[in-house]
Amino acid sequence: MSAVYPRLWRYALSLTGRRDWADDLVQTACMRALDKSDQFEPGTHLDRWLFRMTQRIWLNELRSRKVRTGGGLVPVEEIDLPDKTPGAETNILARDVLNKVNALPEAQRQSVVLVYVEGFSYKEAAEIMEIPIGTVMSRLAGARKRLSAQLADVQVDAK
């Protein structure tokens, strides 16, 4: 569980966009996992089970708050990122990329984090989000297109 926790927290942060909400979400997911531990099938992937549970809890929270999709995100500068070892240039680039990823619509952002950050396959991400694999692929293609356009705009502005 301790190896999955940082990844689960990072995923929760990508869902909520706020550090305090991510803390609460992961805590709730861990408590729910303990309560429902008898439903976990030995030999399956604990991380996928926890990620799916976290997503369901967040969706229920959104429904209960009647929050619109993609709302409530904060700039990356306001998030205390745990890894402070890279150099200044790397941190600036990472912050810019994270800001662009955070600006994506929630569905695309969630797909990008699961596949490109957490390393899940398209199939695994589809299972976690409980959507068809084609939808994951479509969301990632849309995210890549949007990010490419933003990067092209930055390069044109720099000239």
Side-chain angles (χ1 to χ4, degrees), residues 29-43:
C30 289
M31 293 298 294
R32 174 112 14 112
L34 289 172
D35 289 343
K36 299 191 180 278
S37 61
D38 59 319
Q39 295 177 7
F40 178 72
E41 297 176 25

PDB file of all heavy atoms in Angstrom, residues 29-43:
ATOM      1  N   ALA A  29     -10.556   7.267   0.264  1.00  0.00           N
ATOM      2  CA  ALA A  29     -10.358   6.056  -0.539  1.00  0.00           C
ATOM      3  C   ALA A  29      -9.670   4.963   0.282  1.00  0.00           C
ATOM      4  O   ALA A  29     -10.055   3.787   0.194  1.00  0.00           O
ATOM      5  CB  ALA A  29      -9.548   6.381  -1.791  1.00  0.00           C
ATOM      6  N   CYS A  30      -8.683   5.334   1.071  1.00  0.00           N
ATOM      7  CA  CYS A  30      -7.991   4.343   1.900  1.00  0.00           C
ATOM      8  C   CYS A  30      -8.928   3.759   2.954  1.00  0.00           C
ATOM      9  O   CYS A  30      -8.914   2.541   3.205  1.00  0.00           O
ATOM     10  CB  CYS A  30      -6.757   4.960   2.559  1.00  0.00           C
ATOM     11  SG  CYS A  30      -5.417   5.284   1.389  1.00  0.00           S
ATOM     12  N   MET A  31      -9.735   4.610   3.549  1.00  0.00           N
ATOM     13  CA  MET A  31     -10.706   4.122   4.533  1.00  0.00           C
ATOM     14  C   MET A  31     -11.709   3.186   3.876  1.00  0.00           C
ATOM     15  O   MET A  31     -12.047   2.131   4.427  1.00  0.00           O
ATOM     16  CB  MET A  31     -11.426   5.302   5.198  1.00  0.00           C
ATOM     17  CG  MET A  31     -10.536   6.164   6.059  1.00  0.00           C
ATOM     18  SD  MET A  31      -9.801   5.286   7.456  1.00  0.00           S
ATOM     19  CE  MET A  31     -11.250   4.915   8.408  1.00  0.00           C
ATOM     20  N   ARG A  32     -12.187   3.568   2.696  1.00  0.00           N
ATOM     21  CA  ARG A  32     -13.133   2.715   1.977  1.00  0.00           C
ATOM     22  C   ARG A  32     -12.481   1.395   1.601  1.00  0.00           C
ATOM     23  O   ARG A  32     -13.099   0.345   1.678  1.00  0.00           O
ATOM     24  CB  ARG A  32     -13.647   3.437   0.734  1.00  0.00           C
ATOM     25  CG  ARG A  32     -14.508   2.601  -0.158  1.00  0.00           C
ATOM     26  CD  ARG A  32     -15.980   2.927  -0.295  1.00  0.00           C
ATOM     27  NE  ARG A  32     -16.476   4.165   0.178  1.00  0.00           N
ATOM     28  CZ  ARG A  32     -16.943   5.144  -0.591  1.00  0.00           C
ATOM     29  NH1 ARG A  32     -16.926   5.030  -1.894  1.00  0.00           N
ATOM     30  NH2 ARG A  32     -17.455   6.224  -0.054  1.00  0.00           N
ATOM     31  N   ALA A  33     -11.213   1.426   1.184  1.00  0.00           N
ATOM     32  CA  ALA A  33     -10.502   0.200   0.829  1.00  0.00           C
ATOM     33  C   ALA A  33     -10.386  -0.733   2.043  1.00  0.00           C
ATOM     34  O   ALA A  33     -10.548  -1.952   1.906  1.00  0.00           O
ATOM     35  CB  ALA A  33      -9.121   0.530   0.271  1.00  0.00           C
ATOM     36  N   LEU A  34     -10.117  -0.158   3.202  1.00  0.00           N
ATOM     37  CA  LEU A  34     -10.046  -0.979   4.410  1.00  0.00           C
ATOM     38  C   LEU A  34     -11.410  -1.589   4.733  1.00  0.00           C
ATOM     39  O   LEU A  34     -11.506  -2.769   5.085  1.00  0.00           O
ATOM     40  CB  LEU A  34      -9.536  -0.152   5.589  1.00  0.00           C
ATOM     41  CG  LEU A  34      -8.065   0.241   5.537  1.00  0.00           C
ATOM     42  CD1 LEU A  34      -7.732   1.222   6.658  1.00  0.00           C
ATOM     43  CD2 LEU A  34      -7.183  -0.993   5.616  1.00  0.00           C
ATOM     44  N   ASP A  35     -12.462  -0.764   4.598  1.00  0.00           N
ATOM     45  CA  ASP A  35     -13.813  -1.256   4.866  1.00  0.00           C
ATOM     46  C   ASP A  35     -14.225  -2.359   3.899  1.00  0.00           C
ATOM     47  O   ASP A  35     -14.952  -3.272   4.260  1.00  0.00           O
ATOM     48  CB  ASP A  35     -14.836  -0.116   4.784  1.00  0.00           C
ATOM     49  CG  ASP A  35     -14.726   0.854   5.943  1.00  0.00           C
ATOM     50  OD1 ASP A  35     -14.106   0.496   6.966  1.00  0.00           O
ATOM     51  OD2 ASP A  35     -15.260   1.972   5.820  1.00  0.00           O
ATOM     52  N   LYS A  36     -13.779  -2.252   2.655  1.00  0.00           N
ATOM     53  CA  LYS A  36     -14.200  -3.193   1.616  1.00  0.00           C
ATOM     54  C   LYS A  36     -13.078  -4.154   1.224  1.00  0.00           C
ATOM     55  O   LYS A  36     -13.090  -4.700   0.126  1.00  0.00           O
ATOM     56  CB  LYS A  36     -14.690  -2.423   0.396  1.00  0.00           C
ATOM     57  CG  LYS A  36     -15.887  -1.542   0.717  1.00  0.00           C
ATOM     58  CD  LYS A  36     -16.524  -1.012  -0.527  1.00  0.00           C
ATOM     59  CE  LYS A  36     -17.713  -0.147  -0.198  1.00  0.00           C
ATOM     60  NZ  LYS A  36     -18.911  -0.893   0.064  1.00  0.00           N
ATOM     61  N   SER A  37     -12.116  -4.343   2.112  1.00  0.00           N
ATOM     62  CA  SER A  37     -10.966  -5.197   1.795  1.00  0.00           C
ATOM     63  C   SER A  37     -11.378  -6.621   1.433  1.00  0.00           C
ATOM     64  O   SER A  37     -10.690  -7.287   0.661  1.00  0.00           O
ATOM     65  CB  SER A  37      -9.970  -5.207   2.952  1.00  0.00           C
ATOM     66  OG  SER A  37     -10.580  -5.728   4.121  1.00  0.00           O
ATOM     67  N   ASP A  38     -12.508  -7.070   1.954  1.00  0.00           N
ATOM     68  CA  ASP A  38     -12.970  -8.416   1.619  1.00  0.00           C
ATOM     69  C   ASP A  38     -13.397  -8.519   0.149  1.00  0.00           C
ATOM     70  O   ASP A  38     -13.474  -9.621  -0.399  1.00  0.00           O
ATOM     71  CB  ASP A  38     -14.136  -8.825   2.531  1.00  0.00           C
ATOM     72  CG  ASP A  38     -15.331  -7.884   2.429  1.00  0.00           C
ATOM     73  OD1 ASP A  38     -15.125  -6.654   2.364  1.00  0.00           O
ATOM     74  OD2 ASP A  38     -16.471  -8.387   2.425  1.00  0.00           O
ATOM     75  N   GLN A  39     -13.632  -7.375  -0.513  1.00  0.00           N
ATOM     76  CA  GLN A  39     -14.029  -7.384  -1.919  1.00  0.00           C
ATOM     77  C   GLN A  39     -12.824  -7.371  -2.870  1.00  0.00           C
ATOM     78  O   GLN A  39     -12.984  -7.577  -4.068  1.00  0.00           O
ATOM     79  CB  GLN A  39     -14.922  -6.182  -2.227  1.00  0.00           C
ATOM     80  CG  GLN A  39     -16.243  -6.241  -1.499  1.00  0.00           C
ATOM     81  CD  GLN A  39     -17.089  -5.009  -1.762  1.00  0.00           C
ATOM     82  OE1 GLN A  39     -16.762  -4.165  -2.588  1.00  0.00           O
ATOM     83  NE2 GLN A  39     -18.198  -4.909  -1.038  1.00  0.00           N
ATOM     84  N   PHE A  40     -11.638  -7.132  -2.329  1.00  0.00           N
ATOM     85  CA  PHE A  40     -10.440  -7.147  -3.172  1.00  0.00           C
ATOM     86  C   PHE A  40     -10.097  -8.582  -3.512  1.00  0.00           C
ATOM     87  O   PHE A  40     -10.060  -9.445  -2.638  1.00  0.00           O
ATOM     88  CB  PHE A  40      -9.264  -6.471  -2.464  1.00  0.00           C
ATOM     89  CG  PHE A  40      -7.992  -6.509  -3.264  1.00  0.00           C
ATOM     90  CD1 PHE A  40      -7.847  -5.724  -4.393  1.00  0.00           C
ATOM     91  CD2 PHE A  40      -6.960  -7.353  -2.909  1.00  0.00           C
ATOM     92  CE1 PHE A  40      -6.679  -5.766  -5.143  1.00  0.00           C
ATOM     93  CE2 PHE A  40      -5.789  -7.399  -3.641  1.00  0.00           C
ATOM     94  CZ  PHE A  40      -5.647  -6.607  -4.768  1.00  0.00           C
ATOM     95  N   GLU A  41      -9.850  -8.833  -4.786  1.00  0.00           N
ATOM     96  CA  GLU A  41      -9.518 -10.173  -5.238  1.00  0.00           C
ATOM     97  C   GLU A  41      -8.000 -10.347  -5.243  1.00  0.00           C
ATOM     98  O   GLU A  41      -7.305  -9.692  -6.024  1.00  0.00           O
ATOM     99  CB  GLU A  41     -10.069 -10.406  -6.643  1.00  0.00           C
ATOM    100  CG  GLU A  41     -11.578 -10.330  -6.714  1.00  0.00           C
ATOM    101  CD  GLU A  41     -12.100 -10.460  -8.136  1.00  0.00           C
ATOM    102  OE1 GLU A  41     -11.402 -11.057  -8.981  1.00  0.00           O
ATOM    103  OE2 GLU A  41     -13.198  -9.954  -8.384  1.00  0.00           O
ATOM    104  N   PRO A  42      -7.486 -11.226  -4.386  1.00  0.00           N
ATOM    105  CA  PRO A  42      -6.034 -11.473  -4.380  1.00  0.00           C
ATOM    106  C   PRO A  42      -5.570 -11.905  -5.778  1.00  0.00           C
ATOM    107  O   PRO A  42      -6.272 -12.616  -6.485  1.00  0.00           O
ATOM    108  CB  PRO A  42      -5.870 -12.605  -3.367  1.00  0.00           C
ATOM    109  CG  PRO A  42      -7.081 -12.495  -2.482  1.00  0.00           C
ATOM    110  CD  PRO A  42      -8.186 -12.015  -3.383  1.00  0.00           C
ATOM    111  N   GLY A  43      -4.392 -11.418  -6.134  1.00  0.00           N
ATOM    112  CA  GLY A  43      -3.859 -11.735  -7.451  1.00  0.00           C
ATOM    113  C   GLY A  43      -4.185 -10.680  -8.496  1.00  0.00           C
ATOM    114  O   GLY A  43      -3.652 -10.705  -9.594  1.00  0.00           O
TER     115      GLY A  43
END
